[in-house]
Amino acid sequence: MRHRHGLRKLNRTSSHRLAMLRNMTNSLLAQEVIKTTLPKAKELRRVAEPLITLGKTPTLANRRLAFDRLRDRDVVTKLFAELGPRYASRPGGYLRILKFGFRIGDNAPMALVELMDRPEPGAEPGEETSKAAGKTKPKAARSDRKASKSGKEAKSGKEEKSGKEAKSGKEAKSGKVAKGAKAAA
């Protein structure tokens, strides 16, 4: 039986272990995903999950307890402003530990520790479409200029290019009608 064998020592002194787990918790709460060894990840879960539970009730006493354990004002602010409300309806299990292969040097088992239900990095579709549209417009304009210089637009025979009804280079080659031209026809 393993009664009273509460934690992994991780081959460190107690002060070193406390400082390491504090630093790893700060990194995890700030970046929301970190890569570490599997035993450290399992021990990190015992430190980080109670802190997120503490962040669900934003009282002054809880803020002071979190600051005492983390010693980083920015992370404590994020814990109570973002993470606490995000996990308000979740009754626990805030971290996901994924096995991530083995480290090259010493073959130690590695793990990816991430917060559950975190927002995707490219979650804002408005910016991506505007960036993509911005990138494609100059190319289409360049292909239109090339087509007009070479006289290829007279071969298509569909409609003359004007304003919104301009075809891109690919559409001109295939003979398809632009979306604006379909709506007008």
Side-chain angles (χ1 to χ4, degrees):
M1 291 199 256
R2 48 181 312 277
H3 294 306
R4 310 273 300 176
H5 292 194
L7 52 93
R8 296 168 179 85
K9 291 186 178 180
L10 301 172
N11 202 21
R12 287 164 171 79
T13 61
S14 59
S15 60
H16 184 187
R17 187 170 53 247
L18 179 68
M20 180 192 66
L21 289 172
R22 175 180 289 155
N23 286 336
M24 288 174 62
T25 306
N26 282 334
S27 297
L28 176 67
L29 295 178
Q31 273 87 37
E32 300 188 9
V33 60
I34 61 171
K35 182 179 170 184
T36 183
T37 61
L38 189 61
K40 286 181 193 173
K42 290 179 178 179
E43 196 61 28
L44 174 65
R45 181 173 41 195
R46 295 184 55 177
V47 177
E49 288 199 351
L51 283 169
I52 295 174
T53 302
L54 202 64
K56 289 162 95 173
T57 54
T59 62
L60 181 61
N62 284 350
R63 282 182 180 272
R64 287 178 175 169
L65 278 171
F67 183 75
D68 182 53
R69 295 178 189 164
L70 294 175
R71 288 292 180 197
D72 189 346
R73 183 172 288 145
D74 296 332
V75 173
V76 171
T77 303
K78 181 177 180 178
L79 179 66
F80 284 92
E82 294 177 29
L83 301 178
R86 185 190 304 173
Y87 298 113
S89 62
R90 192 178 187 95
Y94 312 112
L95 299 184
R96 176 187 293 144
I97 297 175
L98 301 170
K99 292 182 180 178
F100 202 65
F102 298 92
R103 190 160 51 198
I104 298 295
D106 58 355
N107 209 29
M110 298 300 287
L112 197 69
V113 184
E114 65 179 359
L115 294 177
M116 298 289 288
D117 302 331
R118 65 188 173 105
E120 294 296 322
E124 297 175 0
E127 289 182 9
E128 290 180 8
T129 55
S130 65
K131 287 180 185 177
K135 289 180 183 176
T136 57
K137 286 181 183 177
K139 290 179 183 177
R142 273 188 258 130
S143 64
D144 288 342
R145 275 188 253 128
K146 289 179 184 176
S148 64
K149 287 182 182 177
S150 63
K152 291 182 180 178
E153 66 186 45
K155 291 182 182 179
S156 67
K158 294 289 182 182
E159 290 183 12
E160 290 187 18
K161 295 180 184 179
S162 64
K164 294 180 182 177
E165 298 176 357
K167 298 179 188 177
S168 67
K170 292 180 182 177
E171 291 172 346
K173 289 179 183 176
S174 64
K176 292 182 181 177
V177 178
K179 291 180 183 178
K182 283 183 180 178

